[in-house]
Amino acid sequence: MQAMVMSGYGTPDVLNRSEVALPEPGPGQIRLAVRLAGVGPTDLAIRAGHLRHAFPMADPAILGFEAAGVVDAVGPGVDDVAPGDDVAASLPGLGGYAEYVVADYWVRKPEAVTWADAAAVPASGEAAVRVLRLLGVTAGETLLILGGAGAVGTIATQLAVAAGVTVISAVREQDFAVTGQWGATPIDYARPLGDSVTAVDAVFDAAGRSDLETAVRLAGGPERVITLSDPRGPQIGVTLSSSVPDGIRSALSEVMTRLGEQRLTLRPHTIRPLAEAAAVHAGLESGALHTKVLLATSETGGTPLEALHSTDREGR
């Protein structure tokens, strides 16, 4: 199969299209013919080498925490899906930037959910649910979300507001309107945090490049401050959170159910061919790309990229 493989840590040009062996599903696993794979901020941090202790280099080293596609094969013990079923998968062990991937955690894609939304939600949705659970925010408390208009922040904001939590969301000024529509109070991410907020009960850093020192002060200590990808966090007592296996399936089910019932809204996506992964990383790092990016593989069955935003199942 074809995959975008990391030749080492460094700039985006360490990502190169390569031919690698087709993975085989083991007990309790499925193999997915990937249609779309999500690109997230943690992918960029891993590639740059900032998280090498948490995510050591694999062989082959293939990034990608989330994907959507069609079940191609199942391992022993799998009885909830079969070849031909449409699913979305969370990939805590990475591997999504490829034509095929073996997955331990998946959820069926509802008919009402587009391929693009299905691919964009597994890692982001799991991270949002996980961190909210770890923070233990409850109705009446105030949560500060840094990067509230990103893929993870979008979901976390809506889930927290639905639970009765008061949400303050640090976003770019152009995202104030949509953040307000979700029920959060937007503040300018570009301004010093201390100028906009005096105190909160908890902080969810979904941006990865925020003022964690001030966030800790606003929360009265690091105990209820969690970051997804800022390697400086542990140095000041902030938890750097990664996937917890026991909670992945329930998190996937929660967010996919909400999507299918139209109780969760995602931001617009940009779809690029898998071969452009390095350019996508460069664009995200430079700020030239601001939307969630999905990588399309040859397994789209000839479906035009724009059609993957629809629920049309032809071309599978």
Side-chain angles (χ1 to χ4, degrees):
M1 69 172 185
Q2 295 294 310
M4 295 303 295
V5 178
M6 281 175 54
S7 59
Y9 297 114
T11 57
D13 59 11
V14 301
L15 291 170
N16 294 284
R17 189 178 180 97
S18 302
E19 186 172 286
V20 300
L22 187 69
E24 295 295 333
Q29 296 181 321
I30 64 171
R31 186 171 65 205
L32 186 67
V34 177
R35 295 193 107 189
L36 293 169
V39 179
T42 305
D43 296 354
L44 277 61
I46 293 172
R47 189 218 71 236
H50 300 322
L51 300 175
R52 63 183 69 194
H53 297 299
F55 298 96
M57 185 81 69
D59 183 20
I62 303 172
L63 295 172
F65 285 100
E66 59 191 353
V70 181
V71 177
D72 173 70
V74 301
V78 174
D79 56 12
D80 61 329
V81 293
D85 288 341
D86 298 341
V87 300
S90 175
L91 308 168
L94 302 173
Y97 293 13
E99 291 179 323
Y100 293 84
V101 66
V102 166
D104 294 283
Y105 309 98
W106 59 86
V107 63
R108 287 179 176 272
K109 183 185 85 67
E111 291 279 354
V113 176
T114 68
W115 280 109
D117 281 353
V121 80
S124 304
E126 186 277 328
V129 172
R130 177 204 340 136
V131 173
L132 290 177
R133 288 172 177 171
L134 291 172
L135 289 172
V137 286
T138 57
E141 289 193 308
T142 299
L143 171 68
L144 171 62
I145 300 181
L146 306 175
V152 177
T154 292
I155 298 172
T157 296
Q158 294 174 73
L159 294 180
V161 169
V165 176
T166 297
V167 176
I168 300 173
S169 186
V171 298
R172 295 175 299 159
E173 192 171 354
Q174 55 264 47
D175 292 319
F176 275 22
V178 68
T179 303
Q181 290 174 5
W182 297 329
T185 298
I187 61 172
D188 192 347
Y189 187 85
R191 295 185 59 190
L193 275 178
D195 291 355
S196 305
V197 186
T198 55
V200 295
D201 295 296
V203 179
F204 185 164
D205 173 28
R209 297 182 299 275
S210 302
D211 183 357
L212 289 182
E213 290 81 2
T214 298
V216 167
R217 177 174 59 80
L218 294 172
E223 293 78 15
R224 298 186 77 190
V225 180
I226 294 179
T227 182
L228 288 177
S229 59
D230 194 328
R232 303 169 302 150
Q235 300 171 16
I236 56 174
V238 172
T239 297
L240 176 61
S241 179
S242 57
S243 295
V244 179
D246 288 348
I248 295 177
R249 286 188 181 272
S250 63
L252 286 178
S253 177
E254 179 177 345
V255 294
M256 195 62 74
T257 297
R258 286 179 175 270
L259 268 180
E261 295 175 350
Q262 299 184 339
R263 293 187 292 125
L264 183 65
T265 301
L266 303 185
R267 299 298 302 274
H269 319 300
T270 296
I271 298 179
R272 295 284 185 85
L274 178 66
E276 295 182 13
V280 166
H281 274 229
L284 290 170
E285 287 185 336
S286 69
L289 286 172
H290 296 291
T291 61
K292 173 78 175 186
V293 180
L294 305 170
L295 300 174
T297 73
S298 60
E299 293 302 316
T300 58
T303 304
L305 298 188
E306 60 272 15
L308 295 170
H309 284 288
S310 77
T311 55
D312 184 356
R313 294 165 59 89
E314 284 190 26
R316 185 174 75 181

